[in-house]
């Protein structure tokens, strides 16, 4: 994973209240939850995923989504691949897809913590 992607992962972790620093197999890691299924995700302190954590664009870039932290979350590879780009083309035409995106954005807001909060390190 590139340095830029690892930095993005660390930014997501810093703003996602489900992630905490914990000991795991003899090392300190970040452990949190997939945005979709709540499966445990494990990420090294340098931002390199240990489990199959992937960056999720909640509002797809093709529908106007950005790389802003408010639009990014970590998801397990199974959920992210399952979502794939099937929603992207239908976003503006399908109310169910727009509702799904809004629910995920709300879930991200509910999990939000300001970077630098005592529990984020």
């Amino acid at each position: 994973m590139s340095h830029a992607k690892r930095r993005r992962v660390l930014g997501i972790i810093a703003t996602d209240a489900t992630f905490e620093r914990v000991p795991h197999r003899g090392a300190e890691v970040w452990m949190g939850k997939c945005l979709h299924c709540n499966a445990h995700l494990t990420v090294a302190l340098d931002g390199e995923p240990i489990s199959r954590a992937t960056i999720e664009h909640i509002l797809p870039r093709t529908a106007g989504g950005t790389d802003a932290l408010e639009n990014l979350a970590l998801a397990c590879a199974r959920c992210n691949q399952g979502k794939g780009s099937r929603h992207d083309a239908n976003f503006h035409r399908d109310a169910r897809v727009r509702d799904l995106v809004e629910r995920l954005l709300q879930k991200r807001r509910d999990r939000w913590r300001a970077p630098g909060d005592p529990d984020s390190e």
Side-chain angles (χ1 to χ4, degrees), residues 9-81:
V9 167
L10 290 173
I12 295 166
I13 288 169
T15 58
D16 185 331
T18 69
F19 278 87
E20 59 184 22
R21 205 169 161 164
V22 298
H24 178 70
R25 298 183 180 171
E28 287 278 317
V29 298
W30 291 108
M31 191 168 289
K33 295 182 180 179
C34 170
L35 180 68
H36 297 282
C37 70
N38 288 326
H40 288 287
L41 299 176
T42 308
V43 178
L45 296 183
D46 69 355
E48 187 70 34
I50 294 171
S51 62
R52 296 194 61 209
T54 60
I55 296 173
E56 167 74 83
H57 285 81
I58 300 168
L59 177 61
R61 286 182 279 198
T62 57
T66 68
D67 285 340
L69 286 174
E70 296 83 6
N71 189 51
L72 299 177
L74 291 181
C76 65
R78 189 186 80 207
C79 286
N80 205 350
Q81 289 168 354

Side-chain angles (χ1 to χ4, degrees), residues 81-111:
Q81 289 168 354
K83 177 187 156 258
S85 60
R86 70 176 184 259
H87 298 307
D88 296 5
N90 296 325
F91 179 77
H92 296 290
R93 295 188 309 267
D94 190 337
R96 291 173 304 162
V97 173
R98 290 192 310 269
D99 288 344
L100 171 65
V101 168
E102 186 51 45
R103 282 194 312 272
L104 291 173
L105 286 169
Q106 185 58 52
K107 190 172 184 179
R108 177 68 168 118
R109 288 188 291 266
D110 292 345
R111 291 165 58 154

